[in-house]
Amino acid sequence: MAVTQKRRAKSLRQYFPILEWSAEYRRDTLVSDLVAAVIVTIMLIPQSLAYALLAGLPAEMGLYASILPLVAYAIFGTSRALAVGPVAVVSLMTAAAVGNMALQGTAEYALAAITLAFLSGLILLVMGVFRLGFLANFLSHPVIAGFITASGLLIATSQLKHVMGVPAHGEALFDRLLSLLSHIGETNLITLAVGVASVAFLFWVRKGLKPLLISLGLKPRLADILAKAGPVAAVAVTTLLSWGFDFAGKGVSIVGEVPQGLPPLTMPSFSPEVWGQLFGSALLISIIGFVESISVAQTLAAKRKQRITPDQELVGLGASNIAAAMSGGYPVTGGFARSVVNFDAGAETPAAGAYTAVGIALAALLLTPLLYFLPQATLAATIIVAVLSLVDFAILKRTWAYSKADFAAVAATILLTLTYGVELGVSAGVVLSIVLFLYKTSRPHIAEIGLVPGTEHFRNIDRHKVLTHPELLSLRLDENLYFANARYIEDYILDRLGQDQPIRHVVLNCAAVNVIDLSALESLEELNRRLGDMGISLNLSEVKGPVMDRLQKTHFLDELSGQVFLTQFGAMKALGPVDGLKPVLKAAE
């Protein structure tokens, strides 16, 4: 009975991580979480407003997306430091997805964004329940880096129209720049002054405010809190200036009325047509958001020797997005900068996120009337400063030096994203990554190996001074054998045997082979038959247990013209007597 109860408790903790960390919650933990929540709340208020406008949504939807989703993640998430909420890339993807369906500023536009959050949440939940987190592995890190770099540029350029106070349109980078240039004569100088000053101030705050405050005698923790409040200061000052000097009357775009109160209860659209239009975008947002979230969660967890459960993270993020859809929000995920701030501020548990939600709720209740005169240029500056830190062109140099294939994936992702938009860019990056993987594994590295003198080790004859037997061909296969490379390996071996050398035995070293699929097995059977017709035996060595288990379920081993050897050295002793070994002297590569 006691064992059953323990199992039930363990199962509940697995699906509700809050039960695990709340059992150890202490007063000092509460203090740490509250301090972190204060800092993140200060940072999140202007960010939430700005990212909602980036998504083409009313500013209050950014606040709504920063309340219940944080509570949901605190219940279901496994990261102690991840801060969930609106992020720049997902906001841009939301704008791209919803913008194709409805006119910005309409009720249908907001409903589509809510539905997108709901769909994304469902997809993440299904992936978590069925343990499909591995699907995110189809997005390689170079592709993600290229996509985020291109997205950062798109986001920054999309905000230039707010900084200049001019109309502009276009989804691609060059279209936006041309549109801006065509309207440059209409620039509102006051808007430009507010935007440029805000950008300069926020960049200075990031690098220079904290050292300045410490030099003035403030403690590092207090200086850090004040530095994080830089965007709030920009919002407060420009709002006061806008009110005092009637910026709106001088053509400066302001936020306007932001509804006061807690998030409303909302429902997504259940129209099959709407779901069909949004599903592809929701899938991309889910995977991109999960990859970004799990990357920062695992990085921060490793610093404290904590553990992240990826499949449960899918559940946590799924619950967060469904909570966003039910409370007037739009798709959310774990933000990199926000999570790092949460971590550095001392957050001990996900409760810090719940306390942050309380802070955002109070802001929605009490502070929204104060945002009426806030210039949109200030929010645009907040976005620009935040996303430019994501731009990393150094990835092009690193991938060019290390792998031309990875460079091609990065470059293609960046160019396609900038030219055709985020969805096509990331989709092309995924497809290109898979194609490059299939290409590389379809032409695996095959090394002809020989015995290192005085040892039982075998190495590549093109890289080392080794001994070989003239009648024995030893090949090491450095890849799993599957449908894409089966024919290549067969042709390689037959071409090698076509050289002038009296080979009687072929040994395939399978130390690096973890899988032999049915296509590869049929290819091996054909190779065995053809070698038999040539009077040459086919042998295997160092076959791994799971691979051997599957081979034993077939007739291949019974029909094999040679043997299966435990070691490559054993194969050489049996097939190529030591007194027949000859040195191979080739220039090392």
Side-chain angles (χ1 to χ4, degrees):
M1 188 68 176
V3 174
T4 303
Q5 289 179 342
K6 287 183 178 179
R7 287 178 178 173
R8 287 178 179 173
K10 184 177 180 180
S11 178
L12 280 175
R13 287 196 299 271
Q14 179 181 351
Y15 295 108
F16 296 92
I18 188 175
L19 297 177
E20 182 174 348
W21 57 260
S22 62
E24 304 171 355
Y25 208 70
R26 300 290 183 269
R27 183 175 179 179
D28 55 344
T29 308
L30 171 64
V31 174
S32 297
D33 285 346
L34 284 173
V35 171
V38 169
I39 296 174
V40 174
T41 300
I42 291 171
M43 177 184 185
L44 189 53
I45 290 173
Q47 275 194 356
S48 298
L49 298 169
Y51 291 153
L53 294 178
L54 171 61
L57 297 164
E60 65 271 15
M61 288 186 69
L63 295 175
Y64 298 161
S66 304
I67 300 176
L68 285 189
L70 279 70
V71 177
Y73 184 82
I75 297 172
F76 296 101
T78 61
S79 173
R80 301 291 182 97
L82 190 70
V84 172
V87 298
V89 173
V90 170
S91 298
L92 177 65
M93 295 179 74
T94 298
V98 178
N100 295 327
M101 296 182 56
L103 186 64
Q104 183 176 331
T106 64
E108 290 78 11
Y109 191 97
L111 180 61
I114 290 171
T115 306
L116 187 64
F118 186 77
L119 263 178
S120 180
L122 283 182
I123 291 170
L124 288 164
L125 280 178
V126 170
M127 290 175 66
V129 170
F130 290 97
R131 302 182 180 278
L132 300 179
F134 70 90
L135 291 176
N137 296 333
F138 287 110
L139 279 173
S140 67
H141 178 265
V143 166
I144 286 290
F147 171 70
I148 290 178
T149 292
S151 297
L153 289 175
L154 283 177
I155 293 168
T157 54
S158 73
Q159 298 307 297
L160 290 178
K161 63 182 180 181
H162 298 301
V163 172
M164 298 167 60
V166 299
H169 61 274
E171 293 298 323
L173 176 66
F174 301 109
D175 291 339
R176 287 178 179 174
L177 292 177
L178 288 174
S179 181
L180 285 170
L181 287 173
S182 66
H183 292 92
I184 195 168
E186 305 169 29
T187 300
N188 184 293
L189 295 181
I190 298 177
T191 301
L192 182 64
V194 171
V196 171
S198 297
V199 168
F201 172 73
L202 292 173
F203 269 121
W204 174 77
V205 162
R206 283 198 162 201
K207 299 294 184 181
L209 182 57
K210 183 178 178 180
L212 175 62
L213 294 174
I214 292 175
S215 68
L216 294 175
L218 271 68
K219 293 182 178 180
R221 172 61 69 88
L222 179 58
D224 188 58
I225 294 175
L226 293 176
K228 295 296 187 300
V232 176
V235 166
V237 170
T238 55
T239 301
L240 284 172
L241 290 174
S242 174
W243 170 73
F245 292 96
D246 188 23
F247 283 178
K250 298 178 174 63
V252 176
S253 297
I254 59 174
V255 170
E257 184 176 357
V258 178
Q260 186 176 7
L262 293 175
L265 179 63
T266 54
M267 293 292 290
S269 168
F270 290 98
S271 165
E273 182 182 356
V274 172
W275 281 41
Q277 289 178 289
L278 290 176
F279 183 81
S281 299
L283 179 62
L284 284 177
I285 287 174
S286 299
I287 295 177
I288 291 287
F290 173 64
V291 170
E292 181 178 357
S293 180
I294 199 68
S295 298
V296 65
Q298 289 178 334
T299 300
L300 297 178
K303 294 182 178 181
R304 291 181 180 170
K305 298 182 180 179
Q306 294 169 347
R307 184 172 174 268
I308 298 297
T309 306
D311 290 321
Q312 184 60 32
E313 282 297 289
L314 285 167
V315 174
L317 292 173
S320 298
N321 277 279
I322 289 177
M326 297 299 181
S327 57
Y330 69 100
V332 298
T333 192
F336 178 79
R338 192 181 309 138
S339 298
V340 171
V341 169
N342 195 40
F343 179 87
D344 291 341
E348 296 281 348
T349 71
Y355 302 148
T356 300
V358 173
I360 300 295
L362 291 174
L365 273 172
L366 305 174
L367 301 181
T368 50
L370 302 178
L371 300 173
Y372 184 91
F373 292 98
L374 172 62
Q376 289 193 10
T378 305
L379 294 179
T382 302
I383 293 174
I384 291 171
V385 173
V387 300
L388 286 183
S389 63
L390 302 176
V391 176
D392 178 24
F393 283 116
I395 189 68
L396 290 170
K397 181 179 180 181
R398 293 196 300 272
T399 52
W400 176 263
Y402 187 77
S403 168
K404 300 300 186 290
D406 283 338
F407 171 82
V410 174
T413 302
I414 291 176
L415 289 175
L416 289 171
T417 301
L418 292 177
T419 306
Y420 296 104
V422 292
E423 292 188 1
L424 181 60
V426 71
S427 300
V430 173
V431 171
L432 185 57
S433 293
I434 295 173
V435 169
L436 289 172
F437 170 78
L438 291 174
Y439 175 76
K440 286 186 287 187
T441 56
S442 69
R443 303 173 61 84
H445 180 257
I446 302 175
E448 185 171 343
I449 55 177
L451 179 66
V452 178
T455 73
E456 296 183 6
H457 299 293
F458 288 77
R459 292 293 183 269
N460 191 332
I461 67 171
D462 292 326
R463 295 178 180 273
H464 302 271
K465 296 180 180 180
V466 294
L467 304 174
T468 63
H469 194 283
E471 297 182 351
L472 177 65
L473 174 63
S474 296
L475 298 174
R476 188 185 70 231
L477 308 177
D478 292 337
E479 186 58 73
N480 294 328
L481 308 187
Y482 73 117
F483 65 90
N485 61 26
R487 185 62 182 269
Y488 174 84
I489 293 171
E490 181 183 347
D491 291 343
Y492 181 95
I493 294 171
L494 294 175
D495 289 344
R496 174 65 182 81
L497 292 173
Q499 299 179 13
D500 295 331
Q501 188 174 339
I503 295 173
R504 296 178 54 200
H505 309 285
V506 173
V507 181
L508 301 182
N509 184 297
C510 300
V513 177
N514 298 306
V515 173
I516 297 179
D517 76 356
L518 186 59
S519 297
L521 176 63
E522 292 175 349
S523 185
L524 288 176
E525 290 173 340
E526 176 64 15
L527 180 64
N528 181 58
R529 185 189 65 77
R530 296 182 67 174
L531 291 183
D533 292 343
M534 298 166 62
I536 300 173
S537 71
L538 176 64
N539 305 267
L540 306 178
S541 73
E542 301 185 20
V543 181
K544 292 185 176 180
V547 177
M548 195 66 180
D549 291 341
R550 302 191 73 172
L551 292 179
Q552 287 173 342
K553 297 177 181 179
T554 70
H555 299 291
F556 174 71
L557 297 180
D558 297 329
E559 299 170 356
L560 188 64
S561 57
Q563 305 176 53
V564 178
F565 294 94
L566 184 63
T567 66
Q568 183 68 30
F569 186 72
M572 175 164 277
K573 283 178 63 179
L575 303 175
V578 176
D579 56 4
L581 296 179
K582 296 182 180 180
V584 177
L585 301 176
K586 291 187 177 182
E589 295 180 357

